[in-house]
Amino acid sequence: MSPRSFLPVATALLLAIFIAATLIIQPLLRGARADFTEASLYTLSDGTVSALQNLQEPVDLTFVYTRRVGQEYPAVRAYATRVRELLQAYRAEAGANLRVREIDPLPFSEAEDEAVAAGIVAVDTNGEDPLYFGIIGRNTIDDQRVIPFLAPEQEETLEYDLTRLIARLDRPEPPTVGILSTLQGMQGDGQGAGYSFLQEAAKSFNITQIDEDFYALPEDMDVLLMVHPPDLDDWQTWLIDQFLLRKGRAIILVDPAAKTAPGSEFGGLRERQIRSDLGRFGDVWGVHLSEEAVADTESALPIQAPVGEGRTNVVRHPLYLAAPPAMMSRDSLITAELSRTVNFGAPGALEIDEASPFDVEVLIHTGEAPSWIPAEEAVKDLSVQDTLALYEPVEGEKPLAVRLHGALVSAFPDGAPPPAVPDDPVLAELVRASAQTAQPHIASSERDAEILILSDADMVDDGLYVDLESATAFADNGALLMNALDVMSGDANLLSLRARASSRRPMSRVEAMRDEAQARFFGEQAQLENRLAEAQARLQELQQIGSTDGFFEGDLEATLTDEERSELAELRTDIVETRSRLRSIERDFRREIDALEGWLKFINIFGGAILIGLIGLFVWWRRRKVGPS
């Protein structure tokens, strides 16, 4: 064989060997995989493995995917592959107790009928056929749960959603959570309305709302969730006291300065209930909410805020806290696996008595030098400058979230108080009937209590942790509360799933550069803005004097004295120079970030070509150096 024909023959032979090896090895190693990602994104978590290995009865999963339509969208096609691979991993782990099949709902087919009947969403793609992309789960008694659409941008929660679906099919009846709240976003059953956390909770729990003027609690309630609760009368407090003594499971979010509290700003803050606290439970439990709000420069949350002159910028606001994992307990099931910050809006601090009868575990705390901010000021829209003006550092970390564990005693040592009977005769009769059927008073708990207390109610608001455009969470507020509900209700398998690391990578270098630039320029910028505001106020004052007489003659300075004219000219010059300096600061603020961005673009666009060119030059140089053989 001549050298000229050897090369193509050898290439074809190698190609044939490669294809044959792939066809032989692929089926043998279908379940094998090596995950080299930093956070093991493609490895089943311990929670999933535990849930799959402990299935009590077979579960059927049907992956619904319109292949022909999905192929036209690279993101959908890639995500479908991810879903398919994950389902295969689930089946390999669960064995015979998990059956997986895939259907392609072509138009007018039985598969399409099945998808539509189950509630899979038909997404209009502006083509001839819709896209079906979801999962149907069924158990042996024909209970059915559905993921109506697998949104590619929700990939972070894919494993959690799948495992939760399987867990709910394995245990059809979810726990019941009673919600008592004055916040509008916490009202309703969570089916498509309310805060994201409420909607997420509704997928895993039965949600029962408790009216603000309740006179009885739901009998089947497993966990009580209070978020900025209303002021309670003695009878209502006693009902909660007795529930905690019997069931002992509660999550309580109180707030000294609830920014999201309903009410009209125009009517003044007196019409709003901006404070909620633990009431008489605080003395019995040895835990109290501070009267003032807390600011913290160490954990200040970066927000887009106005910086004057109609401009906005990203600045760290000390009144909005972003507690990182380093400020959380790594020993608690509730916070151990959280990988992102938990954000707070003007929270309070929890004060723990040394004589508290509970085992108290601090789950989240502030930095080492927070500051008290008056609640009546914190509830307003304070700017960063206004907050820093009120900032007086105090020594020591302040608890933001604590978990209480232990035996309870009643907050009503003298027994049940009489209920407050309303004037309405119908309601009065209901209250009397409820009082007669209420369970007898007990003075101590029947089981150890597990109570989680957080010092901020605003943290459930979507604006603090959800990207409203993509509907994805950028902080772990929701994960924290869902973890707490799972722990309280006894389903801890989902904890490690919900808190899995995001596949997103934060721009840590850019954040560090922004912090450094902010520290360098912020003080000078604030001084210049104050100077500009004063100059503009004085300028407006002088122009107002001139306009009272000389306006109609077209000379605004006609009635000004020479000194005032000179001052006016100096003010105009000063304003122009100050504005120029502010623009310069703004440019300096972003210069290094823009330079880094430019380098990244250059590397992305030309890096590959330059690398290949360098390799080519190296090969050419080597061959030239060695010379012809």
Short mmCIF file of all heavy atoms in Angstrom, two decimals, residues 502-559:
data_model
loop_
_atom_site.label_atom_id
_atom_site.label_comp_id
_atom_site.label_asym_id
_atom_site.label_seq_id
_atom_site.Cartn_x
_atom_site.Cartn_y
_atom_site.Cartn_z
N SER A 502 -26.84 26.47 43.03
CA SER A 502 -27.31 26.93 41.74
C SER A 502 -26.25 26.65 40.68
O SER A 502 -25.05 26.68 40.95
CB SER A 502 -27.59 28.42 41.82
OG SER A 502 -27.76 28.94 40.53
N SER A 503 -26.70 26.39 39.45
CA SER A 503 -25.75 26.22 38.36
C SER A 503 -25.21 27.57 37.91
O SER A 503 -24.25 27.64 37.16
CB SER A 503 -26.43 25.51 37.18
OG SER A 503 -27.55 26.25 36.76
N ARG A 504 -25.85 28.62 38.37
CA ARG A 504 -25.34 29.95 38.04
C ARG A 504 -24.08 30.23 38.82
O ARG A 504 -23.91 29.79 39.94
CB ARG A 504 -26.38 31.03 38.35
CG ARG A 504 -27.66 30.90 37.57
CD ARG A 504 -28.52 32.13 37.80
NE ARG A 504 -29.80 32.01 37.15
CZ ARG A 504 -30.86 31.51 37.74
NH1 ARG A 504 -30.78 31.13 38.98
NH2 ARG A 504 -31.99 31.40 37.09
N ARG A 505 -23.21 30.99 38.27
CA ARG A 505 -21.99 31.39 38.93
C ARG A 505 -22.02 32.89 39.15
O ARG A 505 -22.08 33.65 38.19
CB ARG A 505 -20.78 31.00 38.08
CG ARG A 505 -20.59 29.51 38.00
CD ARG A 505 -20.16 28.97 39.38
NE ARG A 505 -20.04 27.54 39.36
CZ ARG A 505 -21.00 26.72 39.75
NH1 ARG A 505 -22.15 27.21 40.17
NH2 ARG A 505 -20.82 25.42 39.73
N PRO A 506 -22.01 33.34 40.41
CA PRO A 506 -22.05 34.78 40.66
C PRO A 506 -20.78 35.45 40.15
O PRO A 506 -19.71 34.85 40.14
CB PRO A 506 -22.15 34.86 42.19
CG PRO A 506 -21.60 33.57 42.68
CD PRO A 506 -21.92 32.54 41.64
N MET A 507 -20.91 36.71 39.75
CA MET A 507 -19.77 37.47 39.28
C MET A 507 -19.02 38.01 40.49
O MET A 507 -19.05 39.20 40.79
CB MET A 507 -20.26 38.61 38.37
CG MET A 507 -21.12 38.15 37.21
SD MET A 507 -20.15 37.28 35.96
CE MET A 507 -19.32 38.64 35.19
N SER A 508 -18.35 37.09 41.19
CA SER A 508 -17.70 37.46 42.45
C SER A 508 -16.63 38.52 42.23
O SER A 508 -16.46 39.43 43.04
CB SER A 508 -17.11 36.22 43.12
OG SER A 508 -16.24 35.55 42.24
N ARG A 509 -15.87 38.40 41.14
CA ARG A 509 -14.83 39.37 40.87
C ARG A 509 -15.43 40.76 40.64
O ARG A 509 -14.95 41.76 41.16
CB ARG A 509 -14.02 38.92 39.64
CG ARG A 509 -13.01 39.94 39.14
CD ARG A 509 -11.95 40.22 40.19
NE ARG A 509 -10.96 41.17 39.70
CZ ARG A 509 -10.21 41.93 40.48
NH1 ARG A 509 -10.35 41.84 41.80
NH2 ARG A 509 -9.32 42.75 39.97
N VAL A 510 -16.53 40.80 39.87
CA VAL A 510 -17.19 42.09 39.61
C VAL A 510 -17.76 42.66 40.90
O VAL A 510 -17.67 43.86 41.16
CB VAL A 510 -18.29 41.91 38.55
CG1 VAL A 510 -19.11 43.19 38.40
CG2 VAL A 510 -17.68 41.51 37.22
N GLU A 511 -18.36 41.79 41.74
CA GLU A 511 -18.92 42.27 43.01
C GLU A 511 -17.82 42.86 43.89
O GLU A 511 -18.00 43.90 44.52
CB GLU A 511 -19.62 41.12 43.73
CG GLU A 511 -20.89 40.64 43.06
CD GLU A 511 -21.99 41.68 43.12
OE1 GLU A 511 -21.99 42.48 44.04
OE2 GLU A 511 -22.84 41.69 42.20
N ALA A 512 -16.68 42.18 43.93
CA ALA A 512 -15.58 42.69 44.76
C ALA A 512 -15.08 44.03 44.23
O ALA A 512 -14.80 44.95 45.01
CB ALA A 512 -14.44 41.67 44.78
N MET A 513 -14.99 44.15 42.91
CA MET A 513 -14.54 45.42 42.33
C MET A 513 -15.56 46.52 42.60
O MET A 513 -15.20 47.67 42.87
CB MET A 513 -14.35 45.24 40.81
CG MET A 513 -13.19 44.32 40.48
SD MET A 513 -13.09 43.93 38.71
CE MET A 513 -12.73 45.53 38.04
N ARG A 514 -16.85 46.18 42.54
CA ARG A 514 -17.88 47.19 42.82
C ARG A 514 -17.81 47.64 44.28
O ARG A 514 -17.90 48.84 44.57
CB ARG A 514 -19.26 46.61 42.50
CG ARG A 514 -20.39 47.60 42.80
CD ARG A 514 -21.75 47.04 42.49
NE ARG A 514 -21.97 46.95 41.06
CZ ARG A 514 -22.22 45.85 40.40
NH1 ARG A 514 -22.30 44.71 41.06
NH2 ARG A 514 -22.42 45.85 39.10
N ASP A 515 -17.59 46.70 45.19
CA ASP A 515 -17.47 47.08 46.60
C ASP A 515 -16.28 47.99 46.83
O ASP A 515 -16.35 48.97 47.57
CB ASP A 515 -17.33 45.82 47.47
CG ASP A 515 -18.61 45.02 47.51
OD1 ASP A 515 -19.64 45.57 47.08
OD2 ASP A 515 -18.57 43.86 47.95
N GLU A 516 -15.16 47.64 46.18
CA GLU A 516 -13.96 48.45 46.36
C GLU A 516 -14.17 49.85 45.80
O GLU A 516 -13.82 50.85 46.43
CB GLU A 516 -12.79 47.76 45.64
CG GLU A 516 -11.47 48.48 45.81
CD GLU A 516 -10.36 47.80 45.02
OE1 GLU A 516 -10.60 46.70 44.48
OE2 GLU A 516 -9.29 48.39 44.93
N ALA A 517 -14.79 49.92 44.63
CA ALA A 517 -15.03 51.23 44.03
C ALA A 517 -16.02 52.03 44.86
O ALA A 517 -15.87 53.25 45.03
CB ALA A 517 -15.56 51.05 42.60
N GLN A 518 -17.03 51.35 45.39
CA GLN A 518 -18.02 52.04 46.21
C GLN A 518 -17.38 52.62 47.47
O GLN A 518 -17.63 53.75 47.85
CB GLN A 518 -19.13 51.07 46.60
CG GLN A 518 -20.23 51.72 47.42
CD GLN A 518 -21.40 50.78 47.64
OE1 GLN A 518 -21.78 50.05 46.73
NE2 GLN A 518 -21.96 50.79 48.82
N ALA A 519 -16.51 51.82 48.10
CA ALA A 519 -15.83 52.31 49.30
C ALA A 519 -14.94 53.49 48.98
O ALA A 519 -14.77 54.41 49.79
CB ALA A 519 -15.01 51.19 49.93
N ARG A 520 -14.38 53.49 47.77
CA ARG A 520 -13.45 54.55 47.40
C ARG A 520 -14.17 55.84 47.03
O ARG A 520 -13.73 56.94 47.35
CB ARG A 520 -12.61 54.06 46.21
CG ARG A 520 -11.34 54.88 45.97
CD ARG A 520 -10.67 54.44 44.70
NE ARG A 520 -10.65 53.00 44.52
CZ ARG A 520 -10.58 52.41 43.34
NH1 ARG A 520 -10.56 53.13 42.24
NH2 ARG A 520 -10.56 51.11 43.25
N PHE A 521 -15.30 55.73 46.35
CA PHE A 521 -15.93 56.92 45.79
C PHE A 521 -17.19 57.37 46.52
O PHE A 521 -17.67 58.47 46.30
CB PHE A 521 -16.29 56.66 44.32
CG PHE A 521 -15.09 56.41 43.47
CD1 PHE A 521 -14.99 55.24 42.74
CD2 PHE A 521 -14.06 57.33 43.38
CE1 PHE A 521 -13.88 54.99 41.95
CE2 PHE A 521 -12.95 57.08 42.60
CZ PHE A 521 -12.85 55.91 41.87
N PHE A 522 -17.75 56.49 47.35
CA PHE A 522 -19.08 56.81 47.88
C PHE A 522 -19.08 58.07 48.75
O PHE A 522 -19.96 58.91 48.67
CB PHE A 522 -19.60 55.62 48.69
CG PHE A 522 -21.05 55.77 49.06
CD1 PHE A 522 -22.03 55.45 48.14
CD2 PHE A 522 -21.43 56.24 50.29
CE1 PHE A 522 -23.36 55.59 48.46
CE2 PHE A 522 -22.75 56.39 50.62
CZ PHE A 522 -23.73 56.06 49.70
N GLY A 523 -18.06 58.20 49.60
CA GLY A 523 -18.02 59.36 50.50
C GLY A 523 -17.94 60.66 49.72
O GLY A 523 -18.68 61.61 49.99
N GLU A 524 -17.02 60.71 48.74
CA GLU A 524 -16.89 61.93 47.95
C GLU A 524 -18.16 62.21 47.15
O GLU A 524 -18.59 63.36 47.02
CB GLU A 524 -15.69 61.80 47.00
CG GLU A 524 -15.43 63.08 46.19
CD GLU A 524 -14.27 62.91 45.25
OE1 GLU A 524 -13.65 61.82 45.23
OE2 GLU A 524 -13.97 63.88 44.51
N GLN A 525 -18.78 61.15 46.64
CA GLN A 525 -20.01 61.33 45.87
C GLN A 525 -21.10 61.91 46.74
O GLN A 525 -21.82 62.83 46.33
CB GLN A 525 -20.46 59.98 45.31
CG GLN A 525 -21.67 60.09 44.38
CD GLN A 525 -22.10 58.72 43.88
OE1 GLN A 525 -21.90 57.72 44.54
NE2 GLN A 525 -22.70 58.70 42.72
N ALA A 526 -21.24 61.43 47.97
CA ALA A 526 -22.27 61.94 48.87
C ALA A 526 -22.03 63.42 49.18
O ALA A 526 -22.97 64.23 49.20
CB ALA A 526 -22.29 61.12 50.16
N GLN A 527 -20.76 63.81 49.41
CA GLN A 527 -20.46 65.21 49.70
C GLN A 527 -20.79 66.10 48.50
O GLN A 527 -21.36 67.18 48.65
CB GLN A 527 -18.97 65.34 50.05
CG GLN A 527 -18.59 64.71 51.38
CD GLN A 527 -17.11 64.86 51.67
OE1 GLN A 527 -16.36 65.43 50.89
NE2 GLN A 527 -16.70 64.33 52.80
N LEU A 528 -20.42 65.63 47.33
CA LEU A 528 -20.71 66.43 46.13
C LEU A 528 -22.21 66.57 45.89
O LEU A 528 -22.69 67.62 45.48
CB LEU A 528 -20.03 65.79 44.91
CG LEU A 528 -18.51 65.93 44.85
CD1 LEU A 528 -17.95 65.12 43.69
CD2 LEU A 528 -18.11 67.40 44.71
N GLU A 529 -22.94 65.50 46.15
CA GLU A 529 -24.39 65.57 45.95
C GLU A 529 -25.03 66.54 46.94
O GLU A 529 -25.94 67.29 46.59
CB GLU A 529 -24.99 64.18 46.08
CG GLU A 529 -24.70 63.29 44.87
CD GLU A 529 -25.17 61.87 45.07
OE1 GLU A 529 -25.58 61.52 46.19
OE2 GLU A 529 -25.12 61.11 44.09
N ASN A 530 -24.56 66.53 48.18
CA ASN A 530 -25.08 67.50 49.16
C ASN A 530 -24.75 68.92 48.73
O ASN A 530 -25.58 69.84 48.82
CB ASN A 530 -24.49 67.21 50.54
CG ASN A 530 -25.03 65.93 51.15
OD1 ASN A 530 -26.14 65.50 50.80
ND2 ASN A 530 -24.27 65.32 52.03
N ARG A 531 -23.52 69.10 48.26
CA ARG A 531 -23.10 70.43 47.80
C ARG A 531 -23.92 70.88 46.61
O ARG A 531 -24.36 72.03 46.52
CB ARG A 531 -21.62 70.37 47.44
CG ARG A 531 -21.04 71.66 46.90
CD ARG A 531 -19.56 71.43 46.66
NE ARG A 531 -18.98 72.49 45.86
CZ ARG A 531 -17.72 72.49 45.42
NH1 ARG A 531 -16.95 71.47 45.73
NH2 ARG A 531 -17.26 73.48 44.69
N LEU A 532 -24.18 69.96 45.71
CA LEU A 532 -24.99 70.28 44.53
C LEU A 532 -26.41 70.65 44.93
O LEU A 532 -27.00 71.60 44.41
CB LEU A 532 -25.00 69.08 43.58
CG LEU A 532 -25.81 69.24 42.30
CD1 LEU A 532 -25.24 70.36 41.44
CD2 LEU A 532 -25.83 67.94 41.50
N ALA A 533 -26.98 69.89 45.88
CA ALA A 533 -28.35 70.17 46.32
C ALA A 533 -28.44 71.55 46.97
O ALA A 533 -29.40 72.31 46.71
CB ALA A 533 -28.81 69.09 47.31
N GLU A 534 -27.46 71.89 47.78
CA GLU A 534 -27.46 73.21 48.42
C GLU A 534 -27.31 74.32 47.38
O GLU A 534 -27.98 75.35 47.44
CB GLU A 534 -26.31 73.28 49.43
CG GLU A 534 -26.50 72.37 50.64
CD GLU A 534 -25.28 72.36 51.54
OE1 GLU A 534 -24.30 73.06 51.19
OE2 GLU A 534 -25.31 71.66 52.57
N ALA A 535 -26.41 74.11 46.41
CA ALA A 535 -26.21 75.14 45.37
C ALA A 535 -27.47 75.33 44.54
O ALA A 535 -27.86 76.47 44.21
CB ALA A 535 -25.03 74.73 44.48
N GLN A 536 -28.12 74.23 44.20
CA GLN A 536 -29.34 74.35 43.39
C GLN A 536 -30.45 75.02 44.18
O GLN A 536 -31.24 75.79 43.61
CB GLN A 536 -29.77 72.95 42.93
CG GLN A 536 -28.87 72.39 41.84
CD GLN A 536 -29.28 71.00 41.42
OE1 GLN A 536 -29.78 70.23 42.23
NE2 GLN A 536 -29.05 70.69 40.15
N ALA A 537 -30.54 74.73 45.47
CA ALA A 537 -31.57 75.39 46.28
C ALA A 537 -31.33 76.89 46.35
O ALA A 537 -32.27 77.70 46.21
CB ALA A 537 -31.57 74.78 47.69
N ARG A 538 -30.06 77.30 46.53
CA ARG A 538 -29.75 78.73 46.58
C ARG A 538 -29.97 79.38 45.22
O ARG A 538 -30.48 80.51 45.13
CB ARG A 538 -28.29 78.91 47.01
CG ARG A 538 -27.82 80.35 47.08
CD ARG A 538 -28.67 81.19 48.02
NE ARG A 538 -28.19 82.56 48.08
CZ ARG A 538 -28.90 83.59 48.52
NH1 ARG A 538 -30.16 83.39 48.93
NH2 ARG A 538 -28.41 84.81 48.56
N LEU A 539 -29.61 78.68 44.16
CA LEU A 539 -29.84 79.20 42.81
C LEU A 539 -31.32 79.43 42.55
O LEU A 539 -31.73 80.46 42.01
CB LEU A 539 -29.27 78.21 41.79
CG LEU A 539 -29.49 78.57 40.31
CD1 LEU A 539 -28.74 79.84 39.95
CD2 LEU A 539 -29.05 77.42 39.40
N GLN A 540 -32.14 78.47 42.95
CA GLN A 540 -33.58 78.61 42.77
C GLN A 540 -34.12 79.78 43.57
O GLN A 540 -35.00 80.52 43.11
CB GLN A 540 -34.27 77.31 43.19
CG GLN A 540 -35.76 77.29 42.87
CD GLN A 540 -36.39 75.93 43.21
OE1 GLN A 540 -35.73 75.08 43.77
NE2 GLN A 540 -37.63 75.77 42.84
N GLU A 541 -33.55 79.97 44.76
CA GLU A 541 -33.99 81.09 45.60
C GLU A 541 -33.68 82.43 44.95
O GLU A 541 -34.52 83.33 44.89
CB GLU A 541 -33.29 80.97 46.96
CG GLU A 541 -33.71 82.04 47.95
CD GLU A 541 -32.95 81.89 49.26
OE1 GLU A 541 -32.37 80.80 49.50
OE2 GLU A 541 -32.92 82.86 50.03
N LEU A 542 -32.46 82.56 44.41
CA LEU A 542 -32.07 83.82 43.75
C LEU A 542 -32.89 84.05 42.48
O LEU A 542 -33.31 85.17 42.18
CB LEU A 542 -30.58 83.79 43.43
CG LEU A 542 -29.63 83.85 44.64
CD1 LEU A 542 -28.19 83.70 44.19
CD2 LEU A 542 -29.82 85.17 45.39
N GLN A 543 -33.12 83.01 41.73
CA GLN A 543 -33.91 83.16 40.50
C GLN A 543 -35.35 83.52 40.82
O GLN A 543 -36.00 84.24 40.06
CB GLN A 543 -33.85 81.86 39.69
CG GLN A 543 -32.49 81.64 39.06
CD GLN A 543 -32.42 80.34 38.29
OE1 GLN A 543 -33.18 79.42 38.57
NE2 GLN A 543 -31.51 80.27 37.34
N GLN A 544 -35.84 83.03 41.94
CA GLN A 544 -37.20 83.37 42.33
C GLN A 544 -37.31 84.86 42.65
O GLN A 544 -38.28 85.53 42.30
CB GLN A 544 -37.60 82.54 43.57
CG GLN A 544 -39.03 82.74 44.04
CD GLN A 544 -40.04 82.22 43.02
OE1 GLN A 544 -39.73 81.29 42.27
NE2 GLN A 544 -41.21 82.85 42.95
N ILE A 545 -36.26 85.41 43.30
CA ILE A 545 -36.24 86.84 43.59
C ILE A 545 -36.26 87.63 42.28
O ILE A 545 -37.01 88.59 42.09
CB ILE A 545 -34.99 87.20 44.42
CG1 ILE A 545 -35.06 86.53 45.79
CG2 ILE A 545 -34.86 88.71 44.57
CD1 ILE A 545 -33.79 86.69 46.60
N GLY A 546 -35.42 87.22 41.33
CA GLY A 546 -35.35 87.94 40.06
C GLY A 546 -36.62 87.86 39.26
O GLY A 546 -37.03 88.82 38.60
N SER A 547 -37.29 86.74 39.31
CA SER A 547 -38.48 86.56 38.48
C SER A 547 -39.67 87.37 38.98
O SER A 547 -40.64 87.58 38.26
CB SER A 547 -38.86 85.07 38.43
OG SER A 547 -39.26 84.65 39.72
N THR A 548 -39.62 87.84 40.23
CA THR A 548 -40.77 88.58 40.75
C THR A 548 -40.93 89.93 40.09
O THR A 548 -42.00 90.52 40.10
CB THR A 548 -40.62 88.79 42.26
OG1 THR A 548 -39.38 89.45 42.52
CG2 THR A 548 -40.64 87.46 42.99
N ASP A 549 -39.85 90.46 39.53
CA ASP A 549 -39.97 91.80 38.95
C ASP A 549 -39.52 91.85 37.50
O ASP A 549 -40.15 92.44 36.65
CB ASP A 549 -39.14 92.77 39.78
CG ASP A 549 -39.55 94.22 39.52
OD1 ASP A 549 -40.67 94.42 39.02
OD2 ASP A 549 -38.74 95.11 39.80
N GLY A 550 -38.41 91.21 37.19
CA GLY A 550 -37.84 91.36 35.86
C GLY A 550 -38.28 90.30 34.89
O GLY A 550 -37.80 90.27 33.76
N PHE A 551 -39.17 89.43 35.28
CA PHE A 551 -39.55 88.30 34.43
C PHE A 551 -40.11 88.76 33.07
O PHE A 551 -39.70 88.27 32.02
CB PHE A 551 -40.58 87.45 35.15
CG PHE A 551 -41.09 86.31 34.32
CD1 PHE A 551 -40.31 85.18 34.14
CD2 PHE A 551 -42.31 86.37 33.70
CE1 PHE A 551 -40.75 84.14 33.36
CE2 PHE A 551 -42.76 85.31 32.92
CZ PHE A 551 -41.98 84.21 32.75
N PHE A 552 -41.04 89.75 33.12
CA PHE A 552 -41.70 90.11 31.87
C PHE A 552 -40.80 90.93 30.95
O PHE A 552 -41.09 91.13 29.81
CB PHE A 552 -42.99 90.90 32.16
CG PHE A 552 -44.03 90.05 32.84
CD1 PHE A 552 -44.26 90.17 34.20
CD2 PHE A 552 -44.72 89.10 32.13
CE1 PHE A 552 -45.19 89.39 34.81
CE2 PHE A 552 -45.66 88.30 32.75
CZ PHE A 552 -45.91 88.43 34.10
N GLU A 553 -39.67 91.40 31.49
CA GLU A 553 -38.74 92.11 30.64
C GLU A 553 -37.66 91.19 30.11
O GLU A 553 -36.74 91.64 29.41
CB GLU A 553 -38.08 93.25 31.44
CG GLU A 553 -39.09 94.30 31.92
CD GLU A 553 -38.41 95.37 32.76
OE1 GLU A 553 -37.18 95.30 32.89
OE2 GLU A 553 -39.11 96.24 33.26
N GLY A 554 -37.74 89.91 30.46
CA GLY A 554 -36.77 88.93 29.96
C GLY A 554 -35.45 88.97 30.69
O GLY A 554 -34.49 88.33 30.28
N ASP A 555 -35.35 89.74 31.77
CA ASP A 555 -34.11 89.79 32.54
C ASP A 555 -34.39 89.31 33.95
O ASP A 555 -34.93 90.05 34.77
CB ASP A 555 -33.57 91.22 32.56
CG ASP A 555 -32.22 91.29 33.27
OD1 ASP A 555 -31.70 90.22 33.67
OD2 ASP A 555 -31.69 92.41 33.41
N LEU A 556 -34.00 88.06 34.23
CA LEU A 556 -34.29 87.48 35.54
C LEU A 556 -33.41 88.07 36.64
O LEU A 556 -33.69 87.90 37.81
CB LEU A 556 -34.10 85.96 35.49
CG LEU A 556 -35.07 85.21 34.59
CD1 LEU A 556 -34.71 83.74 34.58
CD2 LEU A 556 -36.51 85.41 35.05
N GLU A 557 -32.35 88.79 36.28
CA GLU A 557 -31.43 89.31 37.28
C GLU A 557 -31.58 90.81 37.46
O GLU A 557 -30.73 91.45 38.08
CB GLU A 557 -29.99 88.98 36.86
CG GLU A 557 -29.75 87.49 36.65
CD GLU A 557 -28.36 87.21 36.12
OE1 GLU A 557 -27.56 88.16 36.08
OE2 GLU A 557 -28.09 86.06 35.76
N ALA A 558 -32.65 91.38 36.92
CA ALA A 558 -32.79 92.83 36.91
C ALA A 558 -32.84 93.42 38.32
O ALA A 558 -32.29 94.49 38.56
CB ALA A 558 -34.05 93.23 36.13
N THR A 559 -33.47 92.73 39.25
CA THR A 559 -33.66 93.30 40.58
C THR A 559 -32.62 92.80 41.58
O THR A 559 -32.71 93.11 42.75
CB THR A 559 -35.06 92.94 41.11
OG1 THR A 559 -35.18 91.54 41.16
CG2 THR A 559 -36.14 93.54 40.23
#
